[in-house]
Amino acid sequence: MTIVSRLTAGHAEALLAFERENRAYFSASVPDRGDDYFTGFGARHRELLAEQEAGLRHLHVVEDADGTLLGRINLVGVRDGSAELGYRIGERAAGRGPATRADRRLCVTAVREYGLPLLRAGTTLDNAGSRPVLARTGFQPVEEVMFGDRPGRRYVLDLRGSTLPAP
C-alpha cells in the first residue's frame, strides 16, 4: 500500500534522514541538492510549509502501510490551473511501484482538492526510472530540453474531461 499525505512540520526529521540516506542515489539521476540543503534543512522546510499554506506549492510524503517514508511527491509552480509534478522515491523502494501509485493518487488529488487539471513534468533522458512512471501515469512528451548539461524531456498531462488514472 502506498500512502500519499500532505507534508507537515512533523515530517521534518524523517524527511531529512530520507534525503541523507538517498543523497548518492538521487545524485546519479538528478542534480545534487548541495551541502547547504542539508545544513539549512529546518529553515527551508519551514519556508516550504509557508509556501504551501499560501497555495504556491502542494507538498506530500509517500509512505508505506507501516509509515516508512518511501519518498516525496510535489506540485510546484502552481499557476493558472496547472502545476509541475516532481517526485523522489528512495533507493529501497525504487522499482516496486510506489512512484506510479503516488503519481496516480496525486493526479486525482490535483483535480479534486487543488483544482489543477493540467500537470507538467520533466526528467533527464538518463533517468530510466522516471520516464516509464510518467508514461504509465498518462503524461505525454512535449519537448526535448536541457537540464543543466543533461538532455531531458518535458511532459504534460491534461486531466480535463478525461478519466482520472486509477490510484
Side-chain angles (χ1 to χ4, degrees), residues 14-97:
L15 191 56
L16 178 57
F18 166 82
E19 290 288 348
R20 284 185 174 140
E21 176 183 328
N22 288 284
R23 184 176 185 180
Y25 173 69
F26 291 143
S27 293
S29 59
V30 296
D32 184 65
R33 294 183 184 269
D35 292 339
D36 289 346
Y37 173 82
F38 297 94
T39 58
F41 183 85
R44 180 66 180 139
H45 189 74
R46 289 186 295 278
E47 289 171 13
L48 290 172
L49 290 173
E51 290 175 8
Q52 176 169 259
E53 187 65 30
L56 303 174
R57 301 172 180 265
H58 301 290
L59 310 169
H60 305 81
V61 294
V62 180
E63 299 169 299
D64 65 12
D66 70 3
T68 300
L69 187 66
L70 304 176
R72 57 193 310 172
I73 185 166
N74 303 313
L75 296 170
V76 300
V78 176
R79 67 179 188 284
D80 303 324
S82 72
E84 175 115 3
L85 172 78
Y87 51 88
R88 297 163 78 86
I89 299 297
E91 184 173 18
R92 288 188 283 160
R96 295 189 359 235

Side-chain angles (χ1 to χ4, degrees), residues 117-119 138-140 156-163:
L118 185 66
L119 301 180
F139 279 83
Q140 299 297 311
V156 68
L157 176 59
D158 189 342
L159 296 166
R160 292 174 287 209
S162 69
T163 303

Side-chain angles (χ1 to χ4, degrees), residues 1-4 62-63 70 73 87 89-105 129 133 136-137 166-167:
M1 175 188 281
T2 301
I3 300 164
V4 176
V62 180
E63 299 169 299
L70 304 176
I73 185 166
Y87 51 88
I89 299 297
E91 184 173 18
R92 288 188 283 160
R96 295 189 359 235
T100 299
R101 289 189 296 273
D103 274 14
R104 289 176 176 165
R105 279 180 174 51
V133 167
R136 282 191 296 271
T137 307

Side-chain angles (χ1 to χ4, degrees), residues 105-143:
R105 279 180 174 51
L106 199 55
C107 286
V108 171
T109 301
V111 172
R112 292 184 181 160
E113 294 184 28
Y114 306 140
L116 300 170
L118 185 66
L119 301 180
R120 303 174 309 278
T123 188
T124 58
L125 296 181
D126 62 352
N127 189 334
S130 284
R131 288 181 293 109
V133 167
L134 292 172
R136 282 191 296 271
T137 307
F139 279 83
Q140 299 297 311
V142 292
E143 67 179 334

